[in-house]
């Protein structure tokens, strides 16, 4: 999962660490100095050999006779400068030392790791803005090649630059970890939305029956996603009914019939080619009469550029009045999934998203881009072939998949 992007980000942090700390420049200078010293030694030896051939060493007597007399010098005595003992500053202690005589109390604030990483003292090196711009250019190429949308790339670069430019890093600290931590924070900011949704709590508190409408194009795994959500609802003790609203494709109705049979859930369907809004209406009325908790509405999945499809979505929305519209996108589609999400959001207004096939996604660009592009949270990601393979998505889960599990938090099933 995200192996391609994860490996490239790891290589990037290692290379960037050397370039920011100047290690690469120092190695080059040391190599040049060694070469210069070796050449100088060889030149000096040659000159010495030539000098010995041309110059004759004078005798001791002649050397003494030629030497000039020593000048009469007087010894000057310098008076020592008296040393003045510096006055030590008052000891600073935490609040627990309050009350002790001669102790100055000062609050010590250390809320995050950043204060351990950076220093205002002389024992550190400053991160050059020029070098930072160069490595951020490399980061941009890596992200774009991994199907990360351009606005998302610019946001990540902006956060990293603001975080690192001009900062002084303590000597002895692993600069690679500093860069990685900055990238982690940038990715989390991209994934954070104004209205995060806890799906389980939402269903628990929603007025019954809660109506969920699923939109997306064919081939994204929308039908399977509906079945997985139904399985999750049943596991949490909620009853549900599925509406086979994709009447345009007969195969979609048969698929839902199979899933409903496996899950032992009631399926409301009409004949192929019938009005999907009527199917949605009947399903909701059935849920009210039988006191079901949730209605899951499937819809037709043609290309997002199909005007008739969007008009059909609008009609279903008017009739069903869904409590939540969920976009189902294929993680393997990359930037095209972002374009699909935007199109459905403009047409009917999506409230959240589910990403499927994320276990086969080596790039990870769609997961980074969709939440930022439409400003709506990703509820779940599909990570396998079974009903249980629906993982609740959060920014920490994504960050740990991109950079490795550093935090103790793990994905919630």
């Amino acid at each position: 999962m995200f192996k391609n992007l994860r490996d490239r980000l790891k290589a990037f942090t290692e290379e960037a660490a050397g370039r920011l700390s100047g290690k690469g420049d120092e190695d080059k200078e040391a190599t040049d100095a060694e070469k210069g010293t070796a050449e100088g030694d060889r030149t000096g030896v040659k000159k010495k050999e030539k000098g010995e051939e041309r110059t004759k060493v004078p005798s001791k007597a002649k050397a003494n006779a030629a030497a000039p007399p020593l000048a009469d010098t007087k010894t000057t005595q310098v008076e020592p400068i008296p040393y003045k003992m510096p006055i030590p500053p008052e000891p600073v202690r935490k609040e627990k030392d309050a009350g002790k005589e001669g102790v100055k109390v000062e609050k010590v604030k250390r809320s995050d790791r950043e204060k351990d990483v950076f220093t205002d003292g002389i024992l550190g090196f400053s991160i050059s803005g020029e070098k930072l711009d160069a490595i951020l250019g490399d980061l941009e190429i890596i992200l774009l090649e991994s199907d990360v949308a351009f606005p998302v790339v610019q946001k990540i670069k902006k956060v990293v630059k603001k975080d690192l430019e001009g900062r002084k890093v303590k000597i002895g600290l692993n600069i690679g970890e500093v860069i990685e931590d900055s990238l982690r924070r940038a990715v989390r900011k991209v994934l954070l939305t104004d209205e995060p949704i806890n799906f389980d709590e939402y269903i628990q508190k929603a007025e019954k029956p809660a109506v969920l409408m699923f939109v997306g194009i064919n081939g994204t795994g929308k039908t399977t996603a509906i079945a997985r959500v139904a399985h999750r609802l049943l596991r949490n003790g909620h009853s549900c009914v599925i509406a086979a609203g994709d009447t345009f494709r007969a195969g979609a109705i048969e698929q839902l019939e199979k899933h409903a049979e496996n899950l032992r859930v009631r399926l409301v369907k009409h004949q192929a080619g019938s009005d999907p809004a009527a199917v949605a209406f009947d399903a909701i009325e059935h849920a009210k009469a039988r006191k079901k908790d949730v209605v899951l509405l499937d819809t037709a999945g043609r290309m997002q550029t199909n005007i008739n499809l969007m008009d059909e979505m609008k009609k279903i929305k008017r009739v069903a009045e869904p409590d939540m519209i969920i976009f189902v996108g294929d993680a393997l589609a990359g930037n095209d999934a972002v374009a699909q999400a935007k199109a459905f959001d403009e047409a009917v207004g999506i409230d959240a998203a589910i990403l499927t096939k994320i276990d086969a996604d080596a790039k990870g660009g769609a997961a980074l881009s969709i939440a930022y592009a439409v400003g709506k949270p990703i509820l779940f990601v599909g990570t396998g072939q079974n009903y249980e393979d629906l993982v609740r998505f959060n920014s920490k889960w994504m960050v740990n998949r991109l950079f490795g599990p550093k935090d103790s938090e793990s994905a919630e099933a």
Side-chain angles (χ1 to χ4, degrees):
M1 192 184 299
F2 312 145
K3 186 179 186 302
N4 186 304
L5 181 56
R6 182 171 63 247
D7 292 345
R8 296 190 69 181
L9 286 175
K10 182 179 180 182
F12 166 78
T13 55
E14 292 174 355
E15 181 183 352
R19 292 166 64 181
L20 284 181
S21 61
K23 184 177 180 182
D25 298 336
E26 292 175 2
D27 292 343
K28 185 176 182 299
E29 291 174 1
T31 303
D32 294 342
E34 290 176 0
K35 289 181 179 178
T37 304
E39 291 176 359
D41 292 343
R42 287 195 295 271
T43 305
V45 170
K46 290 181 181 179
K47 288 182 178 179
K48 185 177 181 181
E49 291 176 351
K50 291 181 180 179
E52 288 177 350
E53 292 176 358
R54 297 176 182 177
T55 307
K56 293 182 179 180
V57 180
S59 64
K60 186 176 181 181
K62 290 182 180 181
N64 291 336
L70 296 174
D72 186 17
T73 58
K74 294 183 180 180
T75 304
T76 304
Q77 187 174 0
V78 180
E79 296 182 1
I81 299 175
Y83 176 73
K84 187 175 181 181
M85 181 69 71
I87 301 174
E90 294 183 11
V92 177
R93 298 292 186 267
K94 297 182 181 181
E95 292 184 0
K96 65 180 182 179
D97 296 323
K100 294 183 180 179
E101 185 177 355
V103 174
K104 182 180 178 181
V105 177
E106 181 177 301
K107 292 184 178 180
V108 178
K109 294 183 179 180
R110 183 163 291 214
S111 59
D112 50 34
R113 187 174 181 271
E114 184 176 333
K115 296 185 179 181
D116 292 330
V117 171
F118 300 106
T119 177
D120 294 327
I122 60 174
L123 298 178
F125 63 89
S126 181
I127 297 179
S128 165
E130 183 178 351
K131 290 183 178 179
L132 188 58
D133 287 337
I135 68 167
L136 288 179
D138 295 340
L139 176 64
E140 178 176 347
I141 294 173
I142 291 173
L143 294 176
L144 288 175
E145 290 179 347
S146 299
D147 287 338
V148 180
F150 184 74
V152 181
V153 174
Q154 296 305 306
K155 174 70 174 179
I156 292 175
K157 286 175 57 181
K158 182 179 179 181
V159 172
V160 172
K161 185 171 183 178
K162 183 178 179 182
D163 193 19
L164 295 181
E165 186 176 17
R167 305 301 292 270
K168 185 170 286 187
V169 183
K170 289 182 178 179
I171 290 178
L173 192 74
N174 187 337
I175 183 64
E177 292 183 359
V178 176
I179 298 170
E180 182 182 308
D181 287 345
S182 182
L183 281 171
R184 284 175 178 266
R185 287 191 289 271
V187 171
R188 283 189 183 181
K189 286 187 177 181
V190 165
L191 292 173
L192 289 177
T193 57
D194 295 333
E195 299 178 359
I197 299 174
N198 184 317
F199 180 78
D200 297 331
E201 290 183 1
Y202 177 85
I203 295 299
Q204 187 70 34
K205 297 177 181 178
E207 184 179 351
K208 305 301 186 292
V211 180
L212 309 181
M213 177 176 168
F214 293 80
V215 299
I217 70 168
N218 284 333
T220 59
K222 180 159 50 68
T223 304
T224 305
I226 292 173
R228 287 176 173 173
V229 172
H231 176 270
R232 186 182 186 93
L233 292 170
L234 294 173
R235 191 182 65 183
N236 291 340
H238 300 294
S239 58
C240 60
V241 58
I242 300 176
D246 186 359
T247 59
F248 181 78
R249 185 171 62 95
I253 300 175
E254 294 176 359
Q255 281 181 284
L256 278 177
E257 279 183 323
K258 186 63 177 177
H259 287 306
E261 182 182 340
N262 293 339
L263 296 169
R264 297 181 181 179
V265 172
R266 176 62 187 272
L267 176 71
V268 176
K269 64 176 182 175
H270 289 188
Q271 291 182 349
S274 58
D275 186 1
V279 179
F281 178 83
D282 288 348
I284 295 171
E285 291 301 311
H286 172 83
K288 291 178 179 178
R290 300 298 178 89
K291 300 189 182 301
K292 301 291 184 181
D293 296 327
V294 184
V295 179
L296 306 175
L297 301 180
D298 188 18
T299 59
R302 284 159 279 173
M303 293 303 294
Q304 70 273 17
T305 54
N306 190 312
I307 298 176
N308 293 332
L309 169 65
M310 292 306 176
D311 289 341
E312 183 180 283
M313 297 295 108
K314 294 175 183 177
K315 180 180 179 181
I316 297 173
K317 180 181 179 181
R318 288 196 304 270
V319 172
E321 298 181 347
D323 298 289
M324 183 185 294
I325 299 178
I326 301 173
F327 167 76
V328 180
D330 184 349
L332 299 177
N335 280 317
D336 193 37
V338 179
Q340 295 166 16
K342 286 183 176 180
F344 280 101
D345 188 44
E346 291 172 0
V348 294
I350 65 175
D351 300 301
I354 293 177
L355 279 182
T356 62
K357 309 174 189 177
I358 204 165
D359 52 315
D361 183 16
K363 294 184 176 182
L368 277 177
S369 303
I370 287 179
Y372 182 81
V374 299
K376 302 296 166 48
I378 299 176
L379 292 179
F380 303 107
V381 290
T383 59
Q385 303 298 318
N386 301 317
Y387 292 131
E388 297 83 5
D389 297 329
L390 191 69
V391 176
R392 201 175 107 185
F393 183 90
N394 58 58
S395 60
K396 292 178 182 178
W397 180 90
M398 183 67 185
V399 167
N400 287 341
R401 292 306 178 280
L402 289 176
F403 299 99
K406 185 174 182 178
D407 302 326
S408 59
E409 296 87 359
S410 59
E412 296 181 39

